[in-house]
Amino acid sequence: MTQINLTVDGAQVSDDVEPRMLLVQYLREKLGKTGTVIGCDTSNCGACTVHLDGTSVKSCNVLAVQADGSEVTTIEGLAKDGELHQVQESFRECHGLQCGFCTPGMIMQSVDLLKENPNPSEQEIRLGLEGNLCRCTGYHNIVKAVQHAAAQGGAS
């Protein structure tokens, strides 16, 4: 076992973990952060996307021990004081989801995209989300949601 210390959604946590435990498993199984979805375990779908020290990563591709000393933000940590993050609100308002399975990863990647580019074109949004798969939609409403979030100042 290896001890890790990190901040998850603003809370300090310390745990002993198996060195081979994935960050997605740690978040879900040890911390109960089930909004971080296990989709493929191969880093292809992006459903497990979280922010690691402010940058989006696919948590099925990161060992929990690699996050030692870091700050992790999950989909559960985006909302503040009971208010949805602007990107979450835009996905709700623009119907940027269907079954919802990919939504946490899409939102986390969209937040990172808007942080890097607060006013992306449709093409830039599609390129920025290309590592996140949605099996239900044609991405139209997802792109619309990101555009709406950008117009509302969604990077913050």
Side-chain angles (χ1 to χ4, degrees):
M1 296 292 252
T2 302
Q3 183 169 34
I4 59 171
N5 300 288
L6 60 157
T7 303
V8 179
D9 296 337
Q12 293 282 331
V13 294
S14 181
D15 268 309
D16 289 324
V17 298
E18 289 288 336
R20 66 178 179 261
M21 178 177 253
L22 296 172
L23 181 58
V24 69
Q25 294 168 321
Y26 175 71
L27 293 170
R28 291 178 58 83
E29 297 168 15
K30 291 269 197 168
L31 301 183
K33 301 286 186 177
T34 56
T36 303
V37 180
I38 297 174
C40 65
D41 278 334
T42 61
S43 78
N44 287 320
C45 75
C48 66
T49 301
V50 299
H51 294 168
L52 182 64
D53 293 327
T55 302
S56 64
V57 298
K58 294 176 181 178
S59 60
C60 74
N61 208 30
V62 176
L63 296 171
V65 294
Q66 291 175 295
D68 185 35
S70 295
E71 184 173 330
V72 177
T73 304
T74 70
I75 190 73
E76 290 96 339
L78 279 185
K80 299 291 183 219
D81 301 321
E83 295 290 321
L84 293 177
H85 184 280
Q86 182 57 57
V87 175
Q88 290 173 304
E89 180 60 32
S90 292
F91 267 68
R92 186 195 64 77
E93 193 170 317
C94 297
H95 309 288
L97 57 100
Q98 200 158 0
C99 81
F101 194 80
C102 71
T103 305
M106 284 286 185
I107 289 173
M108 297 304 287
Q109 183 61 33
S110 297
V111 169
D112 195 40
L113 168 68
L114 292 175
K115 183 179 72 177
E116 296 296 319
N117 182 355
N119 191 25
S121 66
E122 178 180 340
Q123 184 63 25
E124 289 169 327
I125 293 168
R126 289 182 183 278
L127 285 172
L129 297 178
E130 72 181 355
N132 291 70
L133 302 178
C134 176
R135 292 169 176 90
C136 299
T137 72
Y139 298 91
H140 178 74
N141 285 352
I142 293 169
V143 172
K144 217 167 82 175
V146 177
Q147 289 171 323
H148 183 269
Q152 303 299 315
S156 58

